[in-house]
Amino acid sequence: MEEPKVSQKSPYRVKLEPGKKYYWCKCGESKTQPFCDGSHKEKGEFRSVPFEVFAEKEYYLCGCKKTKRPPYCDGTHNNI
Ligand code: FES
């Protein structure tokens, strides 16, 4: 199984709003981290992760791409 690229070894802190659909980059190749820009099409088995939020606030989205709770950071980056 292909491994995702580690785009950074820490989460991205981003302000998100309810009512919008977001697409978290899972392959690590996107130039618009932490969001998908379609680069996964070069890396066959990866798909972006669609998600929404229910409160307007800052969220920590995984940058290492190894989280067990995508798209959110779960601390796994501390073991890389
Ligand atoms: S940045 Fe990936 S788990 Fe924290």
Side-chain angles (χ1 to χ4, degrees), residues 5-73:
K5 178 180 163 188
V6 175
S7 63
Q8 71 175 31
K9 290 183 181 174
S10 58
Y12 293 94
R13 191 171 90 179
V14 291
K15 189 170 183 184
L16 303 178
E17 302 169 20
K20 289 186 176 178
K21 193 142 201 169
Y22 297 99
Y23 295 86
W24 176 71
C25 166
K26 181 160 180 54
C27 72
E29 301 286 352
S30 173
K31 306 284 184 290
T32 57
Q33 294 293 336
F35 303 108
C36 175
D37 71 353
S39 294
H40 62 271
K41 293 186 176 100
E42 312 289 319
K43 297 184 90 175
E45 67 189 65
F46 291 97
R47 297 285 176 274
S48 60
V49 175
F51 70 102
E52 294 177 50
V53 297
F54 300 100
E56 181 173 338
K57 62 176 192 164
E58 290 187 330
Y59 292 85
Y60 291 87
L61 301 185
C62 173
C64 75
K65 310 302 177 184
K66 309 242 187 237
T67 179
K68 308 272 187 304
R69 248 179 20 98
Y72 305 104
C73 171

